[in-house]
Amino acid sequence: MAAAAPYRVALVAFPGIRAFDVSVITEVWGTDRTDRGAPAFDLRRVGADDTTAVPMRGGLSLHPDRTLGWLDRADLVVIPGLDDHLTPAPAPVLEALRHTHARGTTLAALCGGAFTLAQAGLLDGRRAITHWNLVDLLRTRHPHVTVVPDALFIEDDNIWTAAGTAAGIDLCLHLVRLSHGAEAAATIARSMVTAPFRTGTQAQFIEHPTPRTDRDADALAAVREHALSHLHEPLTVADLAARAGMSPRSFARHFTAATGTTPLRWLLDQRIAAAQKLLERTDLPMPEVARQAGFGSEVTMRQHFASRLATSPRAYRTAFTTVSAAGSSSPIAR
Protein backbone atom coordinates (compact mmCIF):
# COMPACT_ATOMS: atom_id res chain seq x y z
CA MET A 1 0.00 0.00 0.00
CA ALA A 2 1.39 3.42 -0.95
CA ALA A 3 2.20 5.75 1.91
CA ALA A 4 -0.19 8.63 2.46
CA ALA A 5 0.91 11.93 0.97
CA PRO A 6 2.47 14.27 3.53
CA TYR A 7 0.18 16.88 5.04
CA ARG A 8 1.10 20.17 3.34
CA VAL A 9 1.60 23.24 5.54
CA ALA A 10 2.49 26.72 4.28
CA LEU A 11 4.27 29.25 6.50
CA VAL A 12 3.54 32.70 5.08
CA ALA A 13 6.71 34.81 5.15
CA PHE A 14 7.08 38.56 4.69
CA PRO A 15 9.20 41.27 6.39
CA GLY A 16 8.21 41.87 10.02
CA ILE A 17 7.17 38.35 11.05
CA ARG A 18 8.31 37.14 14.49
CA ALA A 19 11.18 34.69 14.69
CA PHE A 20 9.59 32.93 17.68
CA ASP A 21 6.42 32.08 15.77
CA VAL A 22 8.44 30.93 12.77
CA SER A 23 10.34 28.61 15.12
CA VAL A 24 7.12 27.22 16.63
CA ILE A 25 5.64 26.47 13.21
CA THR A 26 8.89 24.88 12.08
CA GLU A 27 9.21 22.81 15.25
CA VAL A 28 5.67 21.42 14.97
CA TRP A 29 5.46 20.75 11.22
CA GLY A 30 9.05 20.98 10.00
CA THR A 31 10.66 18.25 12.11
CA ASP A 32 10.57 14.64 10.91
CA ARG A 33 9.15 12.47 13.69
CA THR A 34 7.82 9.63 11.55
CA ASP A 35 10.22 7.24 13.32
CA ARG A 36 8.15 7.89 16.47
CA GLY A 37 4.82 7.34 14.74
CA ALA A 38 4.07 10.97 13.95
CA PRO A 39 2.56 11.85 10.56
CA ALA A 40 4.66 13.05 7.65
CA PHE A 41 4.45 16.80 7.01
CA ASP A 42 5.57 18.93 4.10
CA LEU A 43 6.28 22.42 5.47
CA ARG A 44 7.06 25.15 2.96
CA ARG A 45 8.09 28.75 3.57
CA VAL A 46 5.96 30.74 1.15
CA GLY A 47 6.69 34.31 0.13
CA ALA A 48 5.84 36.81 -2.56
CA ASP A 49 9.37 36.26 -3.86
CA ASP A 50 11.31 33.04 -3.33
CA THR A 51 14.64 34.62 -4.29
CA THR A 52 14.83 37.25 -1.54
CA ALA A 53 15.46 36.53 2.14
CA VAL A 54 12.87 37.81 4.61
CA PRO A 55 14.57 39.76 7.42
CA MET A 56 13.56 39.15 11.03
CA ARG A 57 14.52 40.74 14.33
CA GLY A 58 17.82 39.73 15.93
CA GLY A 59 19.81 39.50 12.72
CA LEU A 60 17.88 36.45 11.50
CA SER A 61 16.48 35.86 8.05
CA LEU A 62 14.16 33.36 6.42
CA HIS A 63 14.53 32.14 2.86
CA PRO A 64 11.19 31.28 1.21
CA ASP A 65 11.32 28.09 -0.83
CA ARG A 66 7.99 28.56 -2.59
CA THR A 67 6.02 31.48 -4.02
CA LEU A 68 2.45 32.37 -3.09
CA GLY A 69 1.09 30.10 -5.80
CA TRP A 70 1.95 27.11 -3.59
CA LEU A 71 -0.87 28.12 -1.24
CA ASP A 72 -3.27 26.47 -3.69
CA ARG A 73 -1.66 23.12 -2.80
CA ALA A 74 -1.55 23.62 0.97
CA ASP A 75 -3.81 21.79 3.43
CA LEU A 76 -3.10 24.43 6.08
CA VAL A 77 -1.76 27.99 5.90
CA VAL A 78 -0.15 29.50 9.01
CA ILE A 79 0.64 33.20 9.49
CA PRO A 80 3.26 34.09 12.13
CA GLY A 81 2.84 37.01 14.48
CA LEU A 82 4.52 40.36 13.94
CA ASP A 83 7.24 42.27 15.77
CA ASP A 84 5.34 45.48 15.02
CA HIS A 85 1.68 44.55 15.10
CA LEU A 86 0.74 47.29 12.64
CA THR A 87 3.22 46.10 9.99
CA PRO A 88 1.40 46.18 6.64
CA ALA A 89 1.56 42.90 4.78
CA PRO A 90 2.41 43.11 1.08
CA ALA A 91 -0.67 43.42 -1.12
CA PRO A 92 0.08 40.13 -2.96
CA VAL A 93 0.13 38.32 0.41
CA LEU A 94 -3.24 39.76 1.43
CA GLU A 95 -4.79 38.86 -1.91
CA ALA A 96 -3.36 35.33 -1.73
CA LEU A 97 -4.83 34.87 1.77
CA ARG A 98 -8.26 35.99 0.56
CA HIS A 99 -8.04 33.59 -2.37
CA THR A 100 -6.88 30.76 -0.12
CA HIS A 101 -9.78 31.20 2.29
CA ALA A 102 -12.25 31.32 -0.59
CA ARG A 103 -10.91 27.93 -1.70
CA GLY A 104 -11.80 26.48 1.71
CA THR A 105 -8.24 26.04 3.00
CA THR A 106 -7.77 26.34 6.77
CA LEU A 107 -6.00 29.55 7.86
CA ALA A 108 -4.32 29.99 11.24
CA ALA A 109 -2.66 33.09 12.68
CA LEU A 110 -0.43 33.15 15.75
CA CYS A 111 -0.55 36.09 18.17
CA GLY A 112 -0.34 39.35 16.18
CA GLY A 113 -0.85 37.43 12.94
CA ALA A 114 -4.51 38.26 13.54
CA PHE A 115 -3.67 41.78 12.40
CA THR A 116 -2.54 40.41 9.03
CA LEU A 117 -5.79 38.51 8.60
CA ALA A 118 -7.69 41.65 9.62
CA GLN A 119 -5.79 43.69 7.01
CA ALA A 120 -7.00 41.18 4.41
CA GLY A 121 -10.58 41.75 5.59
CA LEU A 122 -10.88 38.09 6.54
CA LEU A 123 -11.85 38.78 10.16
CA ASP A 124 -14.63 41.27 9.43
CA GLY A 125 -17.80 39.98 11.04
CA ARG A 126 -15.90 37.06 12.58
CA ARG A 127 -14.61 36.22 16.05
CA ALA A 128 -10.87 36.45 16.66
CA ILE A 129 -8.32 36.61 19.45
CA THR A 130 -4.84 38.01 19.86
CA HIS A 131 -2.45 38.65 22.77
CA TRP A 132 -4.32 40.09 25.75
CA ASN A 133 -2.17 43.24 25.59
CA LEU A 134 -3.21 43.82 21.96
CA VAL A 135 -6.96 43.23 22.30
CA ASP A 136 -7.85 46.94 22.50
CA LEU A 137 -5.54 47.77 19.59
CA LEU A 138 -7.16 45.14 17.40
CA ARG A 139 -10.60 46.43 18.30
CA THR A 140 -9.60 50.01 17.55
CA ARG A 141 -7.84 49.34 14.26
CA HIS A 142 -10.38 46.82 13.01
CA PRO A 143 -13.79 47.65 14.51
CA HIS A 144 -15.63 45.10 12.35
CA VAL A 145 -13.80 42.24 14.08
CA THR A 146 -15.49 40.62 17.09
CA VAL A 147 -12.51 40.40 19.43
CA VAL A 148 -12.78 37.70 22.10
CA PRO A 149 -10.59 38.78 25.01
CA ASP A 150 -10.06 35.62 27.05
CA ALA A 151 -9.49 32.60 24.80
CA LEU A 152 -6.24 30.77 24.09
CA PHE A 153 -7.37 30.17 20.52
CA ILE A 154 -10.65 30.20 18.62
CA GLU A 155 -12.04 29.31 15.19
CA ASP A 156 -14.58 31.07 13.02
CA ASP A 157 -15.36 30.00 9.43
CA ASN A 158 -12.21 27.86 9.16
CA ILE A 159 -10.02 30.74 10.35
CA TRP A 160 -8.06 30.15 13.57
CA THR A 161 -6.45 32.83 15.71
CA ALA A 162 -4.39 32.42 18.88
CA ALA A 163 -3.47 34.52 21.87
CA GLY A 164 0.11 35.54 22.58
CA THR A 165 3.36 33.60 22.29
CA ALA A 166 2.87 30.19 24.00
CA ALA A 167 -0.76 30.07 22.89
CA GLY A 168 0.63 29.74 19.38
CA ILE A 169 2.09 26.40 20.44
CA ASP A 170 -1.32 25.43 21.84
CA LEU A 171 -3.02 26.25 18.55
CA CYS A 172 -0.44 24.44 16.41
CA LEU A 173 -0.77 21.28 18.50
CA HIS A 174 -4.56 21.58 18.41
CA LEU A 175 -4.49 21.77 14.62
CA VAL A 176 -2.36 18.61 14.56
CA ARG A 177 -4.90 16.98 16.89
CA LEU A 178 -7.79 17.91 14.60
CA SER A 179 -6.15 16.59 11.46
CA HIS A 180 -4.24 13.59 12.82
CA GLY A 181 -5.59 12.76 16.29
CA ALA A 182 -4.64 13.25 19.91
CA GLU A 183 -1.78 10.74 19.86
CA ALA A 184 0.00 12.54 17.00
CA ALA A 185 -0.28 15.82 18.90
CA ALA A 186 0.95 14.14 22.09
CA THR A 187 3.97 12.68 20.26
CA ILE A 188 4.98 16.11 19.00
CA ALA A 189 4.30 17.72 22.38
CA ARG A 190 6.51 15.17 24.15
CA SER A 191 9.31 15.90 21.70
CA MET A 192 8.92 19.63 22.39
CA VAL A 193 8.71 19.01 26.16
CA THR A 194 5.40 20.84 26.38
CA ALA A 195 1.85 19.97 27.33
CA PRO A 196 -0.28 18.43 24.53
CA PHE A 197 -2.99 20.89 25.48
CA ARG A 198 -3.71 23.46 28.15
CA THR A 199 -7.12 24.22 29.51
CA GLY A 200 -8.41 27.61 30.52
CA THR A 201 -8.13 31.03 28.94
CA GLN A 202 -5.46 33.70 28.68
CA ALA A 203 -7.19 35.50 31.57
CA GLN A 204 -4.83 33.54 33.82
CA PHE A 205 -1.85 35.36 32.25
CA ILE A 206 -3.06 38.94 32.45
CA GLU A 207 -0.97 40.98 34.84
CA HIS A 208 -2.07 40.63 38.47
CA PRO A 209 -0.35 41.34 41.78
CA THR A 210 2.07 38.59 42.79
CA PRO A 211 0.47 36.16 45.29
CA ARG A 212 1.67 36.48 48.85
CA THR A 213 2.27 32.77 49.17
CA ASP A 214 2.78 29.77 46.95
CA ARG A 215 1.13 27.38 49.40
CA ASP A 216 -2.19 27.32 47.59
CA ALA A 217 -0.50 26.87 44.21
CA ASP A 218 1.50 23.92 45.54
CA ALA A 219 -1.64 22.34 46.99
CA LEU A 220 -3.52 22.79 43.73
CA ALA A 221 -0.69 21.25 41.71
CA ALA A 222 -0.69 18.21 43.98
CA VAL A 223 -4.45 17.89 43.65
CA ARG A 224 -4.29 18.02 39.87
CA GLU A 225 -1.57 15.38 39.83
CA HIS A 226 -3.68 13.15 42.09
CA ALA A 227 -6.75 13.63 39.88
CA LEU A 228 -4.85 12.70 36.72
CA SER A 229 -3.73 9.40 38.25
CA HIS A 230 -7.24 8.61 39.57
CA LEU A 231 -9.46 9.65 36.65
CA HIS A 232 -11.15 6.26 36.68
CA GLU A 233 -12.55 7.03 40.13
CA PRO A 234 -15.78 9.03 40.67
CA LEU A 235 -13.96 12.21 41.69
CA THR A 236 -15.98 15.27 42.64
CA VAL A 237 -15.01 18.88 43.21
CA ALA A 238 -15.73 18.34 46.91
CA ASP A 239 -13.26 15.42 46.94
CA LEU A 240 -10.55 17.56 45.35
CA ALA A 241 -11.26 20.46 47.70
CA ALA A 242 -10.93 18.20 50.71
CA ARG A 243 -7.61 16.90 49.40
CA ALA A 244 -6.39 20.50 49.10
CA GLY A 245 -7.57 21.25 52.62
CA MET A 246 -10.02 23.91 51.45
CA SER A 247 -13.74 24.43 51.39
CA PRO A 248 -15.32 23.72 47.98
CA ARG A 249 -16.02 27.43 47.46
CA SER A 250 -12.48 28.52 48.37
CA PHE A 251 -11.00 25.68 46.30
CA ALA A 252 -13.03 26.67 43.23
CA ARG A 253 -11.96 30.30 43.58
CA HIS A 254 -8.24 29.49 43.92
CA PHE A 255 -8.38 26.84 41.17
CA THR A 256 -10.01 29.21 38.67
CA ALA A 257 -7.55 31.98 39.49
CA ALA A 258 -4.61 29.62 38.93
CA THR A 259 -5.78 27.82 35.80
CA GLY A 260 -8.34 30.07 34.14
CA THR A 261 -11.00 27.36 34.28
CA THR A 262 -13.28 25.80 36.89
CA PRO A 263 -12.39 22.53 38.64
CA LEU A 264 -15.36 20.77 37.05
CA ARG A 265 -14.49 21.90 33.54
CA TRP A 266 -10.82 20.99 34.05
CA LEU A 267 -11.76 17.52 35.29
CA LEU A 268 -14.06 17.02 32.31
CA ASP A 269 -11.28 18.09 29.92
CA GLN A 270 -8.94 15.50 31.43
CA ARG A 271 -11.59 12.76 31.15
CA ILE A 272 -12.20 13.59 27.50
CA ALA A 273 -8.45 13.54 26.79
CA ALA A 274 -8.13 10.16 28.53
CA ALA A 275 -11.05 8.76 26.52
CA GLN A 276 -9.46 10.05 23.29
CA LYS A 277 -6.25 8.14 24.06
CA LEU A 278 -8.15 4.97 24.84
CA LEU A 279 -10.20 5.23 21.66
CA GLU A 280 -7.05 5.74 19.59
CA ARG A 281 -4.76 3.18 21.22
CA THR A 282 -7.10 0.34 22.17
CA ASP A 283 -10.12 -1.55 20.95
CA LEU A 284 -11.72 -1.65 24.39
CA PRO A 285 -15.53 -1.67 24.27
CA MET A 286 -17.20 1.69 24.78
CA PRO A 287 -18.50 0.96 28.31
CA GLU A 288 -14.94 0.11 29.42
CA VAL A 289 -13.52 3.25 27.80
CA ALA A 290 -16.15 5.28 29.66
CA ARG A 291 -15.30 3.53 32.94
CA GLN A 292 -11.53 3.96 32.65
CA ALA A 293 -11.90 7.63 31.68
CA GLY A 294 -14.18 8.21 34.65
CA PHE A 295 -17.44 8.97 32.86
CA GLY A 296 -19.28 6.15 34.58
CA SER A 297 -21.43 5.28 31.58
CA GLU A 298 -21.20 5.24 27.82
CA VAL A 299 -24.23 7.53 27.62
CA THR A 300 -22.52 10.19 29.74
CA MET A 301 -19.32 9.93 27.68
CA ARG A 302 -21.28 10.23 24.44
CA GLN A 303 -23.08 13.34 25.70
CA HIS A 304 -19.82 15.07 26.62
CA PHE A 305 -18.16 14.14 23.32
CA ALA A 306 -21.13 15.62 21.47
CA SER A 307 -21.08 18.88 23.45
CA ARG A 308 -17.30 19.39 23.55
CA LEU A 309 -15.98 17.73 20.38
CA ALA A 310 -19.07 17.79 18.16
CA THR A 311 -18.67 14.08 17.45
CA SER A 312 -19.39 10.71 19.04
CA PRO A 313 -16.84 8.37 20.64
CA ARG A 314 -17.44 5.79 17.88
CA ALA A 315 -16.94 8.36 15.12
CA TYR A 316 -13.80 9.61 16.86
CA ARG A 317 -12.39 6.07 17.06
CA THR A 318 -13.11 5.49 13.38
CA ALA A 319 -11.36 8.73 12.40
CA PHE A 320 -8.32 8.50 14.66
CA THR A 321 -7.58 4.89 15.55
CA THR A 322 -3.82 4.34 15.36
CA VAL A 323 -3.53 0.77 16.59
CA SER A 324 -5.73 -2.22 17.33
CA ALA A 325 -4.65 -3.50 20.69
CA ALA A 326 -7.11 -5.99 22.09
CA GLY A 327 -6.76 -6.35 25.80
CA SER A 328 -4.13 -3.62 26.07
CA SER A 329 -3.87 -1.78 29.34
CA SER A 330 -4.96 1.77 29.89
CA PRO A 331 -2.48 4.36 28.62
CA ILE A 332 -3.63 6.98 31.11
CA ALA A 333 -0.86 6.33 33.63
CA ARG A 334 1.95 6.07 31.06
Side-chain angles (χ1 to χ4, degrees):
M1 181 183 295
Y7 186 78
R8 296 181 296 268
V9 181
L11 186 166
V12 178
F14 57 90
I17 58 174
R18 294 179 68 213
F20 179 87
D21 293 343
V22 169
S23 297
V24 169
I25 297 165
T26 303
E27 184 65 28
V28 172
W29 286 290
T31 301
D32 184 359
R33 300 182 178 91
T34 53
D35 61 334
R36 281 165 273 179
F41 300 119
D42 182 10
L43 174 67
R44 298 294 174 175
R45 296 161 292 281
V46 176
D49 178 1
D50 62 357
T51 64
T52 304
V54 173
M56 297 186 294
R57 182 174 291 178
L60 302 174
S61 62
L62 181 69
H63 293 262
D65 55 11
R66 292 292 186 275
T67 60
L68 292 168
W70 197 81
L71 296 183
D72 287 343
R73 301 180 56 192
D75 300 301
L76 169 67
V77 175
V78 189
I79 301 96
L82 308 167
D83 285 320
D84 179 349
H85 309 291
L86 300 182
T87 298
V93 170
L94 298 179
E95 179 57 32
L97 292 176
R98 287 189 286 265
H99 173 73
T100 301
H101 178 255
R103 290 182 66 253
T105 304
T106 300
L107 298 179
L110 311 189
C111 194
F115 286 82
T116 301
L117 291 176
Q119 287 177 39
L122 291 172
L123 297 184
D124 287 354
R126 297 189 173 101
R127 299 163 66 246
I129 186 59
T130 187
H131 190 287
W132 59 266
N133 201 35
L134 300 173
V135 164
D136 289 340
L137 180 62
L138 184 59
R139 283 181 175 143
T140 300
R141 301 290 296 206
H142 300 281
H144 297 297
V145 180
T146 301
V147 182
V148 179
D150 60 355
L152 289 178
F153 52 81
I154 60 174
E155 179 270 346
D156 193 331
D157 194 21
N158 211 24
I159 297 176
W160 293 85
T161 50
T165 314
I169 301 175
D170 295 324
L171 174 55
C172 291
L173 291 174
H174 182 69
L175 292 171
V176 171
R177 188 179 304 113
L178 288 179
S179 58
H180 296 91
E183 182 57 24
T187 296
I188 295 172
R190 284 193 294 270
S191 176
M192 295 174 64
V193 196
T194 190
F197 67 94
R198 292 185 297 163
T199 57
T201 72
Q202 68 170 328
Q204 61 192 295
F205 303 109
I206 296 175
E207 292 177 352
H208 296 294
T210 302
R212 290 177 295 178
T213 175
D214 290 333
R215 186 197 68 81
D216 291 340
D218 291 344
L220 294 176
V223 167
R224 291 196 297 271
E225 182 178 356
H226 171 80
L228 288 173
S229 61
H230 293 80
L231 283 177
H232 59 285
E233 299 177 3
L235 298 171
T236 66
V237 174
D239 295 333
L240 300 180
R243 191 168 189 86
M246 303 179 188
S247 69
R249 179 176 296 181
S250 178
F251 174 75
R253 184 175 67 254
H254 287 288
F255 193 100
T256 302
T259 67
T261 191
T262 66
L264 186 60
R265 187 180 181 91
W266 178 88
L267 190 58
L268 177 58
D269 285 339
Q270 309 315 309
R271 295 196 190 285
I272 289 175
Q276 286 176 301
K277 289 182 180 180
L278 288 166
L279 291 168
E280 290 182 22
R281 297 181 180 181
T282 78
D283 61 359
L284 291 171
M286 289 297 166
E288 181 61 14
V289 171
R291 188 193 68 78
Q292 290 196 26
F295 286 110
S297 74
E298 181 182 353
V299 171
T300 300
M301 179 174 69
R302 187 165 59 245
Q303 291 171 341
H304 286 302
F305 263 65
S307 63
R308 301 299 292 278
L309 302 180
T311 190
S312 69
R314 292 184 187 279
Y316 184 89
R317 169 171 273 172
T318 299
F320 292 123
T321 294
T322 56
V323 295
S324 178
S328 64
S329 60
S330 167
I332 297 173
R334 292 182 185 177

